Structure formats: structure tokens, C-alpha cells
Amino acid sequence: MYLSLILASLVALARAVPATDSTSCSRDIRSLSDVGAAAECTTVNIYSFTVPAGETFSLNLLDYTTVNVYGDIQFGNMTWNGPLFKVIGNNIKFNGNGYRWDGGGPFYWDGKGGGGGLTKPQIMMWIQMSGTLTNMEVINSPTHAFGIFNPGPLTVSGVKVDDSKISVLSIEARSNEATQVKVTIPTLVATVPLQGSISSNTVVSRVSITGNTVINSQQAFRIKSIASATGGRVSNVVFNGNTASSIKKYGVLITQSYPKALGTPGNGVTFSNIVFHGAPTTIATDSGAYMVAVNCGKGSCTGSWDWTGLQTHGGRKNLITNNNLISGF
């Protein structure tokens, strides 16, 4: 698994309007058979149950719906592509209330990640909504813990991702430049990094990574584009008040040579205005790790790279290629 922050353009959805009185009802979900009726109301209450193996717990919600979680959710295990959970909607208020969503990771963890071995759900929690997602605990994700495909502004806060039974974890976030995503996940336990992965014709903009803690990870924060990708752009990414410790390979890795970390970079994707602002982001790496590695294609890293808010220590000297824009660090 890989902790990823991946952003891709989405078709803008129609402007949301508040629900009418006829839909202002409340329904409970205690099994998948309850989902259809509950999705016709603007208050949805989810109680503890087990999602059968090979089925997606899918919520296509009315605009302005409030979702309250009142119990743990367990997902059955089988070899399939997933996702395990999917929520779609505009201006949704999703209250996790601290309950656990268990993806059954040990069944899938064969040491080969999402690219080999057993067929695994590539995304555990597919979040295609605007609004707020709060106080959720996700454990044992098969590969990517979250895929965030927000059609409008979305704030994710008070979410804990714990894959401590294995040393890797993944979050994906995808948005278009007309929207924004704010990710605040207080603790990521035994994880690979908060990460973004960019393919061709992908536009990522207005991303805030704030108040996260990354522990015992291969990388802490990573943005990567596929070396052969064209027509893409990543801009206006702000890191603010994050902490990382016991980082094994890279504290910050920004590369345009994926799938290689520090291979020959492409220049078909532009990275611009990637900054560390506000409260310091502090990263402690192991002695053999690079504290910072930036690997840009020629001319493809542009704009402001103000890194006055980044503090690193413990590792190897920084490695920076084709980027003389970084300041304050």
C-alpha cells in the first residue's frame, strides 16, 4: 500500500440545492438491504454490521444529507477490486463518531502491495462528496485507505488511519482546480506517506495538508508524477503544521520520475507553488534517509516554493534536481 494524495479532474456536478420537505426524513442502516430506503432521506444513521465479501457499501446521498455512524463496520474478505465503501453527494455532513471501519487487511497483505499478488480492493473508502467528513477511524485497509474524489470543497478532519499490523498505508485524494480538499488526519500509524500521484491530463490544485502525524514510514510526504505523463499540473499545495518521525527513506519526496523515486524525470507535468507555510512541518528521518529529495524535469517546476515552514533533521543531505526555486529552507 502507499499513502497517496492523488488528484484528477472531475466533471463539475450540478449546483446543489437543499432537500425538499418530502425527503427530510431519517432512516437507519443495519445491513445493505436498508441502503436504498435510507438514501431517500436527509438523515442517515449507520449501525454496526458486516458488509458481505465482494459487495460495496454504496451510499448515493441527497444534497445536504447528514450521516451519523453509531457502530463499527466490518468488511468481508475476498479477492476483488472493490471499493469497500463508496459515498457520493454534495454538501454532506458525515459524522463518523469515532467508530471503526475495518477493511480486513491481513487477508490481503502479501507483501506485494496493490500491483501484484492477490487481487485487492484498490480503494477502501471511496469519498466522492463535498462537505465535511469527521471523526472516522479506518483500520486494516487492503491497499489505499481513502480515495477522495470531491466535486466541491471538502474538509476531512479527526480521522485516524491505523494499519499498524503492516508498515504501509495509502490515501488518495482527487479533485479538480475548481474545488479544494483539506486533509487533517491526526495520526497515521505505521504508514507510507501522505502522497500525490499524477498521470496524464490530471489537474490538481488548492490542496492543504494540515496537522497530520506520520510515524514509522518509508516516506512522510510525497508528490509524484508519472515520468511519461503529459498535460498535467499540480499547483497551490500547502503543508502546514505536520509532524513526521522515524522516516526510513525520504522526509519529503517530490519527483517527476515515477515509478522510480529518483529516476530520469519527465517534463510533461508542471509542479508549481508547493509551499510549507504557517505552523512548522517538522520531519525526523533515520540517518540513512534523505531529508528532502526533489527531482524535477527541466523547466517543469515553476512558481513559488517557499519552504520557510519546513524543519528537518537526522538524515542525509538534501538532493535537489532541476529546481532552484526553493527558498527559506
Side-chain angles (χ1 to χ4, degrees), residues 266-288:
N267 60 5
V269 175
T270 300
F271 288 180
S272 65
N273 303 328
I274 297 174
V275 302
F276 289 81
H277 274 178
T281 289
T282 61
I283 301 174
T285 62
D286 291 355
S287 59

Side-chain angles (χ1 to χ4, degrees), residues 96-226:
N97 291 317
Y99 287 98
R100 286 186 167 188
W101 299 67
D102 188 341
F107 174 84
Y108 303 99
W109 294 338
D110 56 6
K112 298 182 180 180
L118 289 174
T119 300
K120 309 170 184 71
Q122 291 299 303
I123 295 175
M124 178 174 167
M125 310 294 287
W126 181 298
I127 310 299
Q128 191 174 330
M129 54 170 266
S130 60
T132 60
L133 176 68
T134 60
N135 300 323
M136 174 184 285
E137 182 171 357
V138 173
I139 66 172
N140 300 327
S141 56
T143 51
H144 298 79
F146 282 86
I148 301 178
F149 309 85
N150 54 309
L154 172 67
T155 297
V156 180
S157 63
V159 174
K160 180 179 179 180
V161 179
D162 186 351
D163 280 0
S164 56
K165 293 181 180 179
I166 194 170
S167 62
V168 288
L169 168 105
S170 178
I171 294 177
E172 296 195 20
R174 304 186 184 188
S175 79
N176 60 31
E177 59 184 330
T179 68
Q180 63 184 10
V181 56
K182 299 179 180 179
V183 181
T184 306
I185 300 177
T187 305
L188 305 174
V189 183
T191 166
V192 175
L194 281 167
Q195 163 187 300
S197 181
I198 310 304
S199 57
S200 292
N201 302 313
T202 297
V203 176
V204 177
S205 186
R206 301 173 64 197
V207 179
S208 175
I209 309 299
T210 302
N212 302 286
T213 300
V214 181
I215 304 169
N216 190 29
S217 172
Q218 296 297 300
Q219 300 105 22
F221 304 102
R222 176 168 63 172
I223 300 173
K224 57 189 175 72
S225 62
I226 297 170

Side-chain angles (χ1 to χ4, degrees), residues 208-277:
S208 175
I209 309 299
T210 302
N212 302 286
T213 300
V214 181
I215 304 169
N216 190 29
S217 172
Q218 296 297 300
Q219 300 105 22
F221 304 102
R222 176 168 63 172
I223 300 173
K224 57 189 175 72
S225 62
I226 297 170
S228 60
T230 59
R233 184 173 78 250
V234 179
S235 64
N236 302 317
V237 179
V238 179
F239 294 87
N240 177 21
N242 304 286
T243 302
S245 60
S246 299
I247 305 305
K248 311 303 181 186
K249 289 187 176 181
Y250 302 98
V252 175
L253 176 60
I254 298 175
T255 182
Q256 297 184 325
S257 64
Y258 186 77
K260 294 184 177 179
L262 297 175
T264 301
N267 60 5
V269 175
T270 300
F271 288 180
S272 65
N273 303 328
I274 297 174
V275 302
F276 289 81
H277 274 178

